[in-house]
Amino acid sequence: MLSLAVFVGIAGVAYSHLCLFSPPQRGSMDGINKPGAGDCLLLTGPCGGRSRGSMVTKVSAGQKLRVTFQKNLDHWDHTPGDFKIKIGDETGNMQTLSTIRDHGEPSLYVYSQEVTVPSGLPAQSVLQVTYETKNSNAPAVFYQCSDLMVE
């Protein structure tokens, strides 16, 4: 029983994930229907080391934008973490549009939040979603980005 608990603890640290469905995340979405999807494990900001891709979502200042993402693997540990939806430039200069509290929803739980695209953004902007776990036994932050063209 102890070895199972150790394995689960190690797997939880090694395979923590956040997946961005809409607008679509950089890279693929391989395996997102299973907890621990490798394509959703990005630990470096602002965009997990992934470069701007060919999939770009066109938006306008003032537009309502529905952001849908998944807690691919749960890291709630009695101290609620946060999911933050941010927008900004490729350097990581981001403005927070919404914060959603992690209340211990299970792995594969899907969140959806409507945000308003602010004015004054560069034409090539980035929408970023982060999962700040506030769990000392897990990585501090997971990242996903989607490329935007602001018109």
Side-chain angles (χ1 to χ4, degrees), residues 132-147:
E132 299 174 13
T133 65
K134 296 190 174 90
N135 179 339
S136 61
N137 294 317
V141 183
F142 299 92
Y143 300 86
Q144 281 295 345
C145 285
S146 180
D147 297 312

Side-chain angles (χ1 to χ4, degrees), residues 26-59:
R26 290 179 174 182
S28 77
M29 293 190 197
D30 291 342
I32 59 170
N33 292 325
K34 293 181 182 179
D39 212 27
C40 301
L41 173 60
L42 304 180
L43 299 174
T44 58
C47 295
R50 289 187 171 164
S51 301
R52 192 167 179 86
S54 59
M55 185 92 92
V56 177
T57 301
K58 292 181 182 180
V59 297

